[in-house]
Amino acid sequence: MLSLKLPQLFDIHQVPKVFREDSIISGYRHPRSSALDCILSSFQMNNETINIWTHFLPTWYFLWRFCVLCSTLNFLTDSYTWPLLVYMMLICVYPFTSSCAHTFSTMSAESRHICYFFDYGALSLYSLGCAISYGYYVMPECWVNSWLHQYFVPIAIGNTVFCTSLSCYSRFLELQFPKRSKALRTIAFVVPFIFDTVPLIYRILLCCGGSCSPTGALSNHCYHLLFAFLTCFLFTAHLPERLAPGCFDYFGTSFCAQDIQVNRGVLDQGQETAVDVLHDHPLLGLSLPAALHHDIASSSSSSWDQKFTQ
């Protein structure tokens, strides 16, 4: 009978410095693990198990939601749903890529860097998906046809390239300049997030100011922003493991909490975006930008004229 032995775990002083995490004392996998060992390690409790499964399981939920939307919406011909299509594809790619990165990051020092390069790139693409959905569904009407509206998505694409490049570069500084590396990586993800959510924050402020009636989407997006700020705080502060090194090696670290918060925010945001588009109205219950109305009206009238002339 075939028997599989779970890989051995190590303490912090038994692994090279490049594999060490701040205030994590035990639960490290072998720094030269095989691909099979990496897969088997996901079924034993170590300091990456929660990170792996909190990304892998949401992937299947998002795929299921995507399949449901595909059976409900006409993505091929309805241009109104195309931003949602891009967003749903990217939120399926991000958690799966991150799960693979956490799974196979201990095959070697080089593979660790490569895995996290893909992880940073996938997170940047998720941020781009947010920008695309916000740019088409959330842009305030007073900003329509402004320079920000016209260049919102191109700037977001530039932010994606900037975010990925800077976060990948920060890994080369991690051993010699850990604080500088963490600062660059934080900036790399905070700057695109702030830019992407400017339309959403503006419209939330409009609703809070009484310019629109609160909806269920409004509260969920407020929760999403709250979790995003909490994620950023946990990532930079390394709490709670910094308060009690060794007590949160397997569960409760800032990385685990960060993954849970990010995927909770993605889940809420993806669900509310899908619900809003299904009901044919944009986020927060406000009207579509006038430019989109104009495009839809123009395309409808032109198609009607063609049918009439024929």
Side-chain angles (χ1 to χ4, degrees):
M1 180 181 294
L2 179 64
S3 60
L4 297 177
K5 184 179 180 180
L6 293 177
Q8 180 183 358
L9 300 181
F10 301 89
D11 294 334
I12 188 171
H13 64 274
Q14 296 176 300
V15 297
K17 192 174 181 180
V18 68
F19 292 92
R20 300 175 185 177
E21 299 289 351
D22 189 20
S23 302
I24 304 300
I25 307 302
S26 62
Y28 290 93
R29 297 173 293 174
H30 195 284
R32 288 285 181 178
S33 301
S34 64
L36 179 60
D37 287 339
C38 291
I39 295 175
L40 290 178
S41 68
S42 64
F43 296 96
Q44 70 175 155
M45 186 55 67
N46 56 70
N47 55 26
E48 287 284 13
T49 305
I50 302 300
N51 293 328
I52 293 171
W53 288 101
T54 53
H55 285 94
F56 184 74
L57 294 179
T59 300
W60 296 101
Y61 173 80
F62 296 139
L63 285 173
W64 172 72
R65 290 286 300 174
F66 190 21
C67 292
V68 171
L69 288 176
C70 288
S71 64
T72 306
L73 301 176
N74 190 354
F75 285 117
L76 294 178
T77 59
D78 189 0
S79 60
Y80 178 77
T81 64
W82 289 350
L84 176 63
L85 173 64
V86 174
Y87 177 78
M88 292 302 298
M89 289 191 298
L90 292 180
I91 66 172
C92 292
V93 170
Y94 157 62
F96 179 75
T97 304
S98 186
S99 177
C100 292
H102 285 287
T103 301
F104 299 103
S105 61
T106 56
M107 296 183 67
S108 67
E110 293 77 13
S111 67
R112 182 176 178 85
H113 290 304
I114 294 173
C115 284
Y116 283 108
F117 289 165
F118 279 101
D119 189 21
Y120 300 151
L123 184 57
S124 300
L125 287 177
Y126 161 66
S127 178
L128 177 62
C130 294
I132 292 175
S133 62
Y134 290 160
Y136 282 93
Y137 298 133
V138 187
M139 190 66 64
E141 291 192 32
C142 59
W143 292 0
V144 171
N145 294 327
S146 64
W147 70 269
L148 180 62
H149 181 220
Q150 295 174 0
Y151 297 102
F152 188 79
V153 174
I155 294 175
I157 295 175
N159 284 338
T160 300
V161 177
F162 162 79
C163 172
T164 305
S165 303
L166 187 59
S167 56
C168 291
Y169 170 73
S170 69
R171 294 201 63 84
F172 296 103
L173 306 177
E174 200 167 30
L175 295 181
Q176 293 182 332
F177 309 101
K179 292 184 178 180
R180 185 183 304 177
S181 173
K182 178 58 69 68
L184 291 177
R185 201 172 304 164
T186 303
I187 293 173
F189 293 113
V190 168
V191 171
F193 170 78
I194 293 176
F195 176 81
D196 296 343
T197 54
V198 164
L200 179 61
I201 294 175
Y202 180 82
R203 298 189 76 161
I204 288 177
L205 293 177
L206 282 181
C207 288
C208 292
S211 299
C212 70
S213 57
T215 63
L218 173 63
S219 60
N220 276 295
H221 285 293
C222 289
Y223 282 125
H224 174 70
L225 293 177
L226 176 63
F227 288 135
F229 286 115
L230 180 59
T231 298
C232 181
F233 171 74
L234 293 177
F235 176 76
T236 55
H238 279 285
L239 295 176
E241 67 268 20
R242 179 171 289 181
L243 299 178
C247 296
F248 300 95
D249 291 347
Y250 299 100
F251 184 80
T253 66
S254 58
F255 289 102
C256 295
Q258 173 188 341
D259 294 337
I260 294 173
Q261 300 296 345
V262 167
N263 285 294
R264 164 67 188 276
V266 172
L267 186 145
D268 288 341
Q269 186 184 22
Q271 182 171 347
E272 289 306 317
T273 304
V275 169
D276 286 329
V277 175
L278 279 171
H279 289 137
D280 199 25
H281 63 79
L283 301 177
L284 307 185
L286 298 181
S287 59
L288 274 172
L292 289 180
H293 279 305
H294 177 72
D295 292 341
I296 295 174
S298 299
S299 61
S300 300
S301 60
S302 61
S303 61
W304 173 260
D305 293 338
Q306 291 177 358
K307 292 181 181 179
F308 182 77
T309 53
Q310 290 176 357

